[in-house]
Amino acid sequence: MIGALLSRGKERGIAFAGLVSVGNEVDLSLGEICEATLDDLDVDSYMLFLETMRNPEALRRFALDAYTRGKPVIAYKLGRSATARELAVTHTGALAGEDNIADAFLADCGIARVDTLDALIEGLPLLRRVPVAPPGGRPRAVGVITTTGGGATTAIDPLAARGVAIETPGTLTLTRLSAAGINARPTRLLDLTLTGTRYDVMKPALDAYTRAPEFDVVLCVVGSSARFYPELAVRPIIDSANSPKPIAAFLTPDAPQALAALSEAGIANFRTPEACADAIAAALRRRAPRFDILRRTPPRPATSSAHMLDELEAYRLLAKRRIATATSLAPQCPIRRQARTSVRLSGRRQGFVQCYLAQDRCGWRHTWCEE
């Protein structure tokens, strides 16, 4: 998945500060790795692809610290279906658990969960602009401006299916639109049509909607002009990058140059209506994390004699418990050391270790490190 995220992210103009594949997390966990990067000024947000959550306390601790630093976290977690949970076990041995529990956990951590891979990759710019939902506040709503009614409906439909309210413009907003020469009605969709695909129409419409108290996010859907005449309807979106309300842009045609220009301006932009709706819904659902339920794991005593069992030790332990295991064999082959190098440790572990690469006379390769 690292290659998929990197290639898809590069296509969308995402600058990754780093990518880490944690595998089975036999040593450091995902939360611990992310926690170690929180003070890195080059990292302003986090994108998590999760098969399971092996160390939830570390993940929670990281998420809470990320929230206090203003660094949003977006996550795409497998396991919504029983089939996906089964595949997670066969792939990495991960126990995905019940999905509703994972959903509640991520929400309590202040992590925005999305349902599509495209929303994971494209959603962070929107997450950075949308504040967390205040407790007990009014239902959050979206205002929609478009130059293509049919194209806008393809995004409105999945938004409504996710429970997102599509709000009508209020009296003050209608007055501002009228003053700009835009004849609008109190409907859920401001359709400027092809005749309104002009900078002098789109920009005043955006100004009115991004100042409207009834909207939390403004969705702008642009039709074919986004590919052939981006200066007409895309340029107004770019020039509204610093507007009071966050803007999400969905371009119905394949318009890579316009999408790149929107990304360069910091505007959240989407290639599909499903990803657009998914990201908007996740951003509006996100709430402040619950600091009251954080449990600090007590530190392990420094004098502890506990150690990680190797495979043969694990088999012997299982045999004592009368648990059947696969047949195992430890070849008695002398090992000769072939190479040695020093590796600097950082973070909580300081100093150097000696790492060896060896091959025994039976042809087995071995690697190990000694402090």
Side-chain angles (χ1 to χ4, degrees):
M1 283 305 302
I2 286 288
L5 294 172
L6 181 60
S7 60
R8 288 170 178 263
K10 181 179 179 182
E11 182 187 1
R12 289 158 173 78
I14 297 176
F16 288 107
L19 296 101
V20 179
S21 177
V22 297
N24 284 344
E25 302 175 79
V26 294
D27 184 8
L28 292 175
S29 69
L30 172 68
E32 292 171 310
I33 294 171
C34 291
E35 194 175 17
T37 68
L38 282 169
D39 292 325
D40 189 336
L41 298 180
D42 291 331
V43 178
D44 59 15
S45 51
Y46 292 86
M47 179 189 301
L48 308 181
F49 180 92
L50 304 173
E51 291 190 12
T52 185
M53 294 178 290
R54 295 182 186 275
N55 189 339
E57 290 302 324
L59 182 58
R60 186 195 301 277
R61 188 170 59 247
F62 148 70
L64 268 57
D65 288 344
Y67 175 79
T68 60
R69 288 168 168 81
K71 299 185 176 186
V73 183
I74 191 170
Y76 174 63
K77 184 187 177 300
L78 302 178
R80 286 205 180 275
S81 67
T83 300
R85 291 194 291 272
E86 178 185 341
L87 290 175
V89 175
T90 60
H91 174 48
T92 62
L95 296 176
E98 292 298 327
D99 189 69
N100 58 341
I101 297 175
D103 214 34
F105 173 82
L106 294 173
D108 283 343
C109 291
I111 296 175
R113 182 183 184 182
V114 293
D115 297 328
T116 60
L117 186 61
D118 282 338
L120 174 72
I121 296 170
E122 298 172 340
L124 274 175
L126 184 63
L127 213 61
R128 296 190 196 104
R129 289 287 322 268
V130 178
V132 296
R138 63 168 177 80
R140 309 178 91 185
V142 176
V144 184
I145 302 174
T146 187
T147 62
T148 166
T153 304
T154 65
I156 291 174
D157 193 31
L159 274 172
R162 287 170 168 81
V164 177
I166 310 300
E167 192 56 77
T168 59
T171 302
L172 179 58
T173 304
L174 290 172
T175 301
R176 288 170 175 165
L177 290 169
S178 179
I182 301 173
N183 183 20
R185 295 177 297 170
T187 59
R188 301 182 191 276
L189 177 62
L190 177 58
D191 189 355
L192 302 176
T193 71
L194 183 60
T195 59
T197 308
R198 307 199 314 264
Y199 186 98
D200 61 341
V201 175
M202 177 67 79
K203 187 63 169 71
L206 283 168
D207 290 343
Y209 264 52
T210 54
R211 294 166 60 193
E214 60 267 27
F215 303 135
D216 297 285
V217 172
V218 176
L219 170 60
C220 193
V221 182
V222 182
S224 299
S225 63
R227 179 179 179 90
F228 301 106
Y229 305 102
E231 69 279 2
L232 298 179
V234 176
R235 172 52 59 182
I237 303 174
I238 294 172
D239 291 346
S240 302
N242 296 320
S243 61
K245 298 289 178 65
I247 300 174
F250 165 49
L251 310 185
T252 60
D254 179 30
Q257 292 181 339
L259 290 168
L262 289 166
S263 295
E264 182 68 23
I267 299 286
N269 58 90
F270 302 92
R271 286 161 170 75
T272 67
E274 294 81 12
C276 179
D278 190 10
I280 291 175
L284 293 180
R285 281 195 309 265
R286 186 171 65 113
R287 61 176 186 257
R290 293 184 56 186
F291 288 86
D292 58 306
I293 58 176
L294 174 64
R295 296 199 312 266
R296 295 286 179 180
T297 303
R300 180 177 295 175
T303 58
S304 172
S305 60
H307 69 283
M308 182 73 72
L309 299 179
D310 63 28
E311 188 173 355
L312 292 176
E313 289 175 321
Y315 280 144
R316 285 195 290 270
L317 178 61
L318 292 171
K320 289 181 180 179
R321 301 295 186 271
R322 300 182 183 278
I323 299 175
T325 64
T327 303
S328 60
L329 174 67
Q332 302 300 318
C333 299
I335 293 178
R336 57 178 186 273
R337 296 181 178 179
Q338 293 183 329
R340 184 179 73 175
T341 184
S342 294
V343 177
R344 180 184 292 274
L345 297 175
S346 60
R348 291 178 294 176
R349 302 176 184 176
Q350 302 292 330
F352 292 83
V353 295
Q354 302 297 319
C355 292
Y356 300 90
L357 170 65
Q359 184 172 359
D360 61 32
R361 294 179 181 174
C362 299
W364 295 79
R365 290 183 178 273
H366 308 264
T367 58
W368 71 94
C369 293
E370 299 175 358
E371 296 190 9

